[in-house]
């Protein structure tokens, strides 16, 4: 299929979104939605296959591009986007049955879901740094409706806060983009080439180091605000807790990774333009700060979704810490953690959707005996929490261990001791949550029984992937990860 995939990947979610907005039948829009997410998942696997065969895809005079790093992100968008989208079907049917939303609202939900997929795909395959920035900005607008989907006062406030803070943050990323472009234009004297990431990374050693340092700071603050790095994270707990559960899963599992990959693209340029010390030190500071602040907020939250939201801040901090440790091992740890966190957090947010429906609350103080009330959901919730704190044999244990090893290998002894202590704080917080909610005796008047199969099947698949990657990494995925590491370190 070759470079045509770069056209099909954005075309499919765009077409699906337009169809969904025009449909008024719940049954019909579900068929269109399922066909859309299945097609994106299939195309993502085909793109990965092409990249693994050694192909580098280019289209539209170099403006669309796919290398190992792109393929890794597109794989996450395709697979996790499919599973979260599948879970949405059962979740919205329940909302429709309860009268919380009408058929028109369901169609609009699926329309915006695919618009968000479209913007994330564009961010992933853009070789033009201006288009990449515009695509990331568009993800904010595309997802704001989904955040405020229930139109409650708190949901509307969370959506506005999300748009406002992320847009202000992305203004900094725009300054970084302009600085990078002007720096590159002075070297290549070609407006088109100065916009292309593949050209930028090729001429990185000839760029002005002082300008690139300033540009990287703007990029880290701007895109860092969008991924929730501390102290730019204040929108994230409100947004993740107020959004519908499958949307929270998509925001944490996929969208956050799209923006992280934007930082990675500039990290690759900065490593060659200014040396490793400056970008790595910044990422290590932001990473440890994020893990530290999130750890103590996780400990004191009662709302389960807010706990998971702060856990997302913690994990983006872990990824930044891996990049801060640097070297092939640190970058591999960060990229592997990106995959592991996507699977685990999607599982947890979807599971909380089932839990909140069953108990009518997200307050951990009021939820007891989950294993006895809804055994499958309770088991998935416990497994997800054990995975997210890095308990073996789950895959996050492997990537956190690799991060720690990379930090020690780089000579960051005391920062890694601090990192380990903070992880222990998070471990204690979630073990308490398991003890309080999963075990014990449930309320006597609460009916027993799990959610329907549409809300359980995606959890089972996510669990298998999450647990399986902790034991064995398939050779094609390992090859993809190694290829992505090479892109970050060498730009190709």
């Amino acid at each position: 299929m070759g470079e045509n995939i770069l056209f099909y990947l954005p075309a499919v979610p765009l077409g699906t979104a337009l169809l969904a907005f025009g449909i008024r039948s719940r049954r019909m829009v579900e068929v269109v939605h399922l066909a859309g997410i299945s097609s994106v998942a299939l195309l993502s696997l085909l793109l990965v296959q092409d990249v693994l065969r050694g192909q580098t895809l280019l289209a539209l005079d170099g403006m669309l591009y796919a290398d190992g790093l792109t393929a890794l992100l597109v794989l996450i968008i395709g697979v996790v986007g499919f599973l979260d989208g599948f879970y949405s079907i059962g979740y919205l049917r329940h909302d429709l049955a309860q009268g919380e939303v009408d058929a028109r609202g369901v169609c609009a939900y699926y329309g915006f879901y695919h618009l968000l997929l479209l913007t994330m795909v564009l961010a992933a395959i853009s070789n033009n740094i201006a288009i990449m920035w515009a695509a990331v900005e568009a993800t904010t607008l595309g997802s704001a409706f989904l955040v405020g989907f229930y139109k409650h006062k708190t949901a509307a406030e969370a959506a506005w806060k999300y748009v406002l803070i992320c847009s202000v943050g992305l203004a900094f990323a725009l300054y970084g983009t302009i600085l990078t472009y002007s720096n590159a234009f002075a070297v290549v004297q070609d407006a088109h080439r100065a916009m292309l990431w593949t050209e930028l990374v090729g001429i990185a050693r000839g760029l002005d180091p002082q300008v690139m340092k300033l540009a990287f700071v703007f990029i880290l603050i701007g895109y860092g605000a969008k991924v929730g790095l501390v102290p730019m994270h204040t929108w994230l707990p409100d947004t993740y807790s107020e959004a519908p559960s499958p949307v929270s899963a998509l925001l944490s599992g996929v969208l956050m990774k799209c923006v992280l990959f934007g930082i990675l693209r500039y990290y690759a340029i900065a490593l060659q333009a200014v040396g490793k010390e400056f970008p790595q030190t910044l990422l290590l500071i932001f990473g440890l700060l994020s893990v530290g602040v999130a750890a103590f907020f996780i400990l004191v939250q009662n709302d389960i979704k807010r706990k998971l939201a702060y856990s997302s801040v913690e994990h983006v901090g872990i990824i930044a810490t891996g990049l801060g440790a640097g070297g092939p091992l640190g970058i591999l740890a960060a990229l592997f953690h990106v995959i592991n966190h996507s699977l685990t957090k999607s599982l947890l947010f979807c599971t909380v959707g089932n839990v909140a429906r069953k108990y009518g609350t997200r307050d951990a103080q009021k939820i007891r005996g989950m294993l006895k009330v809804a055994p499958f959901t309770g088991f998935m919730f416990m497994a997800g929490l054990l995975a997210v704190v890095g308990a073996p044999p789950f895959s996050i244990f492997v990537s956190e261990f690799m991060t720690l090893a990379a930090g020690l290998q780089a000579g960051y002894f005391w920062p890694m001791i601090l990192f380990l202590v903070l992880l222990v704080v998070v471990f204690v917080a979630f073990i308490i949550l398991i003890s309080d909610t999963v075990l014990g005796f449930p309320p006597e008047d609460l009916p027993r029984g799990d959610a329907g199969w549409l809300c359980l099947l995606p959890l089972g698949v996510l669990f298998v992937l999450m647990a399986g990657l902790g034991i064995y990494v398939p050779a094609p995925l390992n090859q993809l990860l190694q290829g992505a590491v090479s892109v970050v370190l060498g730009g190709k």
Side-chain angles (χ1 to χ4, degrees), residues 15 19 56 60 65 125 127 153 156 292 299 316 333 341 345 366 381 385 403 406 423 443 447 455 469-470 476:
L19 282 173
T56 299
L60 281 180
Y65 171 72
I125 64 175
N127 191 31
K153 184 182 176 186
L299 202 57
V316 80
H341 181 252
K345 200 49 69 66
K366 298 177 181 174
F381 188 62
L385 290 178
T403 303
L423 293 187
C455 289
L469 286 179

Side-chain angles (χ1 to χ4, degrees), residues 140-165:
T140 308
L141 303 177
S143 54
F145 172 83
L146 294 171
V147 173
F149 179 66
Y150 290 125
K151 300 177 182 173
H152 303 152
K153 184 182 176 186
T154 52
E157 286 176 355
W160 277 111
K161 190 175 181 181
Y162 169 57
V163 171
L164 188 64
I165 295 179

Side-chain angles (χ1 to χ4, degrees), residues 53-296:
R53 285 174 177 165
Q55 293 187 44
T56 299
L57 306 178
L58 278 167
L60 281 180
D61 200 16
M63 288 199 288
L64 301 181
Y65 171 72
D67 55 15
L69 196 57
T70 307
L72 193 63
L73 178 56
V74 169
L75 180 65
I76 292 171
I77 296 171
V79 174
V80 181
F82 172 81
L83 292 169
D84 291 343
F86 191 93
Y87 177 84
S88 294
I89 296 173
Y91 188 87
L92 286 183
R93 281 188 186 180
H94 180 277
D95 279 353
L96 197 59
Q98 296 298 312
E100 293 185 41
V101 62
D102 57 17
R104 195 169 183 170
V106 171
C107 295
Y109 173 95
Y110 288 127
F112 280 103
Y113 189 95
H114 286 273
L115 275 186
L116 182 55
L117 285 183
L118 164 67
T119 52
M120 291 191 296
V121 164
L122 275 178
I125 64 175
S126 293
N127 191 31
N128 182 302
I129 57 173
I131 295 177
M132 183 173 71
W133 177 87
V136 172
E137 175 68 38
T139 62
T140 308
L141 303 177
S143 54
F145 172 83
L146 294 171
V147 173
F149 179 66
Y150 290 125
K151 300 177 182 173
H152 303 152
K153 184 182 176 186
T154 52
E157 286 176 355
W160 277 111
K161 190 175 181 181
Y162 169 57
V163 171
L164 188 64
I165 295 179
C166 288
S167 296
V168 170
L170 286 173
F172 283 88
L174 180 60
Y175 297 147
T177 304
I178 293 170
L179 279 174
T180 305
Y181 166 73
S182 61
N183 197 356
F185 184 78
V187 176
V188 299
Q189 295 294 310
D190 184 305
H192 174 65
R193 288 176 57 203
M195 281 284 186
L196 302 181
W197 180 82
T198 44
E199 291 286 342
L200 291 169
V201 81
I203 61 165
R205 293 183 191 280
L207 298 175
D208 186 324
Q210 297 308 316
V211 175
M212 279 315 300
K213 281 184 180 179
L214 190 58
F216 186 73
V217 169
F218 278 129
I219 290 293
L220 192 55
I221 293 173
Y223 287 150
K226 179 79 175 176
V227 298
L229 280 172
V230 173
M232 296 84 74
H233 68 291
T234 52
W235 61 272
L236 194 146
D238 293 336
T239 302
Y240 284 16
S241 59
E242 292 300 331
S245 288
V247 175
S248 304
L250 193 67
L251 294 178
S252 181
V254 185
L255 178 55
M256 178 182 276
K257 310 308 180 297
C258 290
V259 187
L260 265 170
F261 274 61
I263 294 175
L264 270 168
R265 291 287 184 195
Y266 283 91
Y267 177 69
I269 298 171
L271 283 178
Q272 297 188 53
V274 305
K276 65 180 184 180
E277 187 175 348
F278 182 75
Q280 288 183 188
T281 302
L282 279 180
L283 283 162
L284 191 65
I285 291 170
F286 276 107
L288 289 175
L289 186 62
S290 299
V291 176
V293 170
F296 291 100

